[in-house]
Structure formats: C-alpha cells, structure tokens
Amino acid sequence: MMQRWNRKKSHFPIVAVILLGVVVCSILYNESSIQQIHEEDPSNQGPKHQQHASTVTYVVPNLGSHSNLAPVFLDRFSRCNSTSEYSGKRIRWGDSQVKKGRRKSSESCDVFAGKWVFDSESYPLYNESDCPYMSDQLACHKHGRSDLGYQHWRWQPHDCNLKRWNVTEMWEKLRGKRLMFVGDSLNRGQWISLVCLLQSVIPADKRSMSPNAPLTIFRAEEYNATIEFLWAPLLVDSNSDDPVNHRLDERIMRPDSVLKHSSKWEHADILVFNSYLWWRQGPVKLSWSAEENGACEELDGLGAMELAMGAWADWVASKTDPQKKRVFFVTMSPTHLW
C-alpha cells in the first residue's frame, strides 16, 4: 500500500508542472492577441496604424457635380461579372460637414431625451379603421392583433412638456413645404402613420395619394404641402431600389453614389432618413462608380453600411443649409415581427 501511494505521489509534481505550463502559455498568447488587436484598432494612433493608413485609397463621393455624363444606375437586373475582396477604399467626406451643424440653445428643451409614458386618456391619436391610406402590411388590428395598449404610449421629454397634438397647427407648419421620409419599410410605416394623423382634416376632394412607386406622395392642396416616401433601403444607389421587386439573391450597391435618390430628395424641406435592418442580411457587393466591366468587391454588411453612410453624410454636409432644411436620421429599429 505504501509503495502504491508513493508511486501516485511521484506523478503529482509532473501534472502540476504541465498545468502550470499550459496556464503560462495561455496568458502569454492572450496578451499577444490583445496587443495585436490594439495595434490593428483604427482608433489606435500607434506606428502600425499609421503604416496601414498610408495605403488607404480615398474616393470622392459621386454627387453629380463633376461630370456632364448621364449616370448609369443599378437596377434589379444588374450583375457583377467578377468579385474580389474589399480593397479598403474609403469615402472622403467634405470639409463642409465640420462647419455646419445644429446649434442647441441653452433655453430650449431637448426633445430627444425622454421616456415613453402610458396615456390612456388622450391616446391613440387616430384609429386604424379611420385611415383610408393604411397599408395592409401595417394594419395590425385588422389582421387580428387583440392587444391595443401599444397605441397609448406617449413620448415625454425629461425637461419640458410637448404641446398636445394639433392637426391644423401641424398643417400650418407644413404649408408650402415638402416633408419626405427616405429609407426602408420601417420608415414607410412612419410615413403612413403621419399621413393617417394628418389626413382627417383635409376634404376628400382636396387630397390625393400617388400610386405606389419609388417616390409616393400624399398631397394636401389647400396647404400646398406634401408628405412623401422614397424607397431607398441602402440610401446609396443599389439594385434593391425597386419598391416591390427587391428580394434579390445578390445585393449590389454603389458605396460612393447617392445620385439616383438625391435627385428626388434634394428639394425637400424636411428629410427623415433611416437605414439599418438591410445591412444585417449577409455580405454586400460593392460596385464603385469609376469601375467598369461589372467588377465588384465584397464586404460584410456593417462595413458596407459605414461606406454608404459616409456618402450620405457627405451629401448632407455639402448640399444642405441647416438654416433652411431640417435633416433627421432614425437609428436602430426593431423588425416587423417584434
């Protein structure tokens, strides 16, 4: 018995040494990996980052002011003849974005900082069945949703109270103006909801809705005002810009061009943009404006979104006067199923 115990005891230091060695190697590997990540982080201004930065190619966004040639836009029949890995090109933002911006008065209330409160007395502001423009896709009550409590939530800023919704007052603010929503079906839902809020005080013979198209327009003749929706799920020019036939196996976009859409939205007085969910559906093919022969690059969705937002931001910075035009961007949104 004593002999067997000694034999077992003699193995214990060997096991301990092996385990200690594994732990030490693991620590050294993790520290090496963390250091490598730190060096490759674009926000890190170390020597390695500076070395990579010199190889980046910057592309000037195609805003339509440098060419007299008619642009060739992508459509749902567009294809990539060849595809390579993303080369690292970046959008060069205009300097004007630094000079312009929305000033916040110290006396004003920040309506973007607040919370949702339940209001069973003054909400909902309209009933789904009373709106002739309600989309079948958005008609929750019509299709069997039994809980209607979601209609009673009201936005409450932290430091002030919003005025009670007044349809006529809203139309007066919109008199002679174009308010346009630009984006995907989530922004289309916001557009339909606003139309339903506003249409009730406009006589039937003084209002109209254009047929479903990339740009759909609700018009109120008495106020010479329009509330519009432009289907542009990626904001930049893409092969998914058909409002009906946009479920494609291969998504292609021009990451440096908003020409197709900006020609429609540039004269609007109030713009509400959104884009998010479509970027989460796999890789995106990049067809740069200067490329020929259908050559594309491939990039993951969030990386492609960053490029598209760069082109969009450049247009906003260089083409809009914040004293004359209001531009909003809607960030993350839930899916339809949520």
Side-chain angles (χ1 to χ4, degrees):
M1 293 290 292
M2 183 65 67
Q3 186 178 6
R4 291 176 62 189
W5 180 83
N6 285 336
R7 189 177 293 122
K8 288 185 177 180
K9 183 178 180 180
S10 65
H11 285 289
F12 178 76
I14 298 176
V15 174
V17 170
I18 294 174
L19 288 176
L20 180 61
V22 171
V23 171
V24 171
C25 291
S26 177
I27 292 173
L28 292 175
Y29 175 78
N30 288 335
E31 287 184 351
S32 174
S33 299
I34 292 172
Q35 179 66 22
Q36 182 180 4
I37 292 172
H38 178 68
E39 291 175 348
E40 293 178 353
D41 186 351
S43 63
N44 176 31
Q45 299 302 315
K48 193 166 185 178
H49 170 67
Q50 292 175 358
Q51 181 180 358
H52 284 301
S54 62
T55 63
V56 174
T57 301
Y58 287 94
V59 178
V60 177
N62 187 358
L63 301 178
S65 57
H66 305 294
S67 174
N68 295 323
L69 298 177
V72 178
F73 297 129
L74 299 175
D75 58 31
R76 62 192 180 96
F77 302 106
S78 299
R79 296 292 183 270
C80 293
N81 293 330
S82 63
T83 302
S84 59
E85 293 184 2
Y86 171 53
S87 62
K89 293 179 183 177
R90 312 293 295 175
I91 305 296
R92 185 180 296 281
W93 288 17
D95 295 335
S96 55
Q97 67 165 344
V98 180
K99 302 174 185 177
K100 296 181 180 180
R102 179 174 65 92
R103 290 185 178 181
K104 181 182 176 183
S105 170
S106 59
E107 300 178 357
S108 66
C109 172
D110 185 1
V111 297
F112 297 99
K115 62 180 180 180
W116 291 99
V117 298
F118 194 79
D119 185 345
S120 59
E121 296 183 3
S122 55
Y123 278 64
L125 295 174
Y126 73 89
N127 292 315
E128 176 187 296
S129 58
D130 296 333
C131 180
Y133 307 106
M134 174 57 64
S135 167
D136 218 40
Q137 184 185 31
L138 304 173
C140 300
H141 192 202
K142 174 183 176 181
H143 293 289
R145 178 165 180 166
S146 57
D147 59 312
L148 301 179
Y150 68 93
Q151 298 182 345
H152 295 280
W153 290 94
R154 172 174 57 83
W155 180 251
Q156 176 62 56
H158 290 313
D159 302 319
C160 63
N161 290 317
L162 294 176
K163 293 176 63 177
R164 164 69 179 173
W165 169 264
N166 186 299
V167 181
T168 305
E169 184 177 352
M170 179 71 173
W171 274 120
E172 288 298 337
K173 291 180 180 295
L174 292 175
R175 183 181 289 277
K177 292 183 172 60
R178 294 177 61 190
L179 189 162
M180 185 185 295
F181 291 82
V182 181
D184 57 27
S185 56
L186 293 172
N187 231 15
R188 181 167 56 196
Q190 298 296 312
W191 165 70
I192 282 289
S193 186
L194 185 59
V195 168
C196 290
L197 281 166
L198 291 170
Q199 59 85 31
S200 60
V201 297
I202 307 297
D205 60 341
K206 297 294 184 180
R207 68 189 187 211
S208 62
M209 178 75 85
S210 66
N212 182 41
L215 179 62
T216 309
I217 304 172
F218 175 84
R219 188 181 306 277
E221 294 182 18
E222 291 182 87
Y223 292 92
N224 187 31
T226 59
I227 307 171
E228 310 173 26
F229 172 72
L230 176 63
W231 173 262
L234 304 181
L235 296 183
V236 293
D237 176 11
S238 80
N239 66 339
S240 300
D241 293 333
D242 189 301
V244 178
N245 299 308
H246 49 251
R247 300 295 180 186
L248 306 175
D249 295 332
E250 181 181 69
R251 283 186 300 135
I252 309 171
M253 73 168 194
R254 290 248 164 86
D256 58 339
S257 177
V258 295
L259 283 177
K260 183 196 297 186
H261 306 309
S262 62
S263 62
K264 298 180 178 67
W265 76 46
E266 63 181 343
H267 297 300
D269 300 283
I270 306 169
L271 284 161
V272 183
F273 294 92
N274 95 300
S275 188
Y276 176 68
L277 286 176
W278 278 58
W279 300 106
R280 296 172 56 87
Q281 301 174 4
V284 181
K285 299 293 180 65
L286 312 179
S287 174
W288 298 91
S289 298
E291 288 292 343
E292 298 179 354
N293 303 320
C296 297
E297 297 177 349
E298 185 171 274
L299 185 60
D300 64 276
L302 293 183
M305 180 182 184
E306 183 179 351
L307 291 175
M309 291 301 298
W312 170 83
D314 198 280
W315 183 91
V316 172
S318 60
K319 298 291 187 178
T320 62
D321 182 348
Q323 302 301 321
K324 299 179 180 179
K325 191 187 297 285
R326 292 290 180 266
V327 179
F328 300 90
F329 186 82
V330 181
T331 54
M332 288 176 57
S333 303
T335 66
H336 292 299
L337 301 180
W338 292 358

